[in-house]
Amino acid sequence: MKRILISLSDSEKEQKEEKILKWLEEESIQTEVLEEYVQNQTDEKVKKTSKKMRLVAVVSLGVILILGGLAFFQMLETDKQKELLKESQKESKLHRQVVQQLQDSIIAREMRHKAVINQLPDSVVNDEQ
């Protein structure tokens, strides 16, 4: 009878061991499934974050390029304005020279006129007045 009990207890032990092994196997499978789920979730979040970061990088690069282009065209416009200012200064200098020459010619004409008047006899000058 002891042998039967021992043999029963051995068979119970085996059954318990089998149950424990099945339970461990199921837990292992569940753990693997959970690990896969967590890994998948992490991968998805990394992909989404990566896409967002790429989008932000592309937008930032676009903004930098646009601002660089604007700065370049502003420099070109500034250079054009400098050239226009130089031309304006040259024209102004030419106008001043023309005005000076006209004033000089007017003064020269007045001096010639006075010289002619001074050379004429007083009777001719009084007759003209």
Side-chain angles (χ1 to χ4, degrees):
M1 202 149 131
K2 280 186 177 184
R3 287 183 187 173
I4 292 175
L5 286 175
I6 292 174
S7 71
L8 279 178
S9 65
D10 282 342
S11 71
E12 283 178 1
K13 282 181 185 179
E14 287 176 8
Q15 286 177 355
K16 284 185 179 182
E17 283 179 7
E18 285 179 15
K19 284 182 181 180
I20 291 174
L21 287 174
K22 283 183 181 179
W23 181 79
L24 287 174
E25 188 177 318
E26 288 174 1
E27 287 297 315
S28 174
I29 290 172
Q30 287 179 357
T31 305
E32 287 176 16
V33 168
L34 284 174
E35 286 176 355
E36 284 181 32
Y37 176 76
V38 168
Q39 185 63 40
N40 288 338
Q41 291 296 318
T42 305
D43 289 346
E44 285 180 31
K45 287 182 180 179
V46 167
K47 286 179 183 177
K48 286 179 182 178
T49 304
S50 177
K51 285 181 182 179
K52 287 179 183 178
M53 290 175 64
R54 282 189 214 133
L55 179 64
V56 167
V58 168
V59 169
S60 297
L61 181 61
V63 168
I64 289 170
L65 288 174
I66 288 170
L67 291 176
L70 289 174
F72 177 74
F73 286 117
Q74 186 65 34
M75 279 185 5
L76 288 178
E77 189 64 29
T78 301
D79 290 343
K80 287 179 184 177
Q81 293 297 327
K82 285 180 183 178
E83 289 297 320
L84 289 173
L85 180 62
K86 285 180 184 178
E87 288 179 25
S88 175
Q89 288 172 342
K90 286 179 184 178
E91 288 177 5
S92 175
K93 185 177 180 181
L94 287 174
H95 287 299
R96 277 189 251 126
Q97 288 176 348
V98 167
V99 167
Q100 185 65 39
Q101 288 175 353
L102 286 172
Q103 287 176 345
D104 290 345
S105 73
I106 290 171
I107 292 171
R109 181 182 285 169
E110 286 178 359
M111 290 177 72
R112 279 194 308 266
H113 184 68
K114 284 183 183 178
V116 167
I117 290 177
N118 287 339
Q119 289 177 356
L120 291 176
D122 286 336
S123 62
V124 175
V125 173
N126 289 333
D127 287 342
E128 287 181 12
Q129 290 179 357

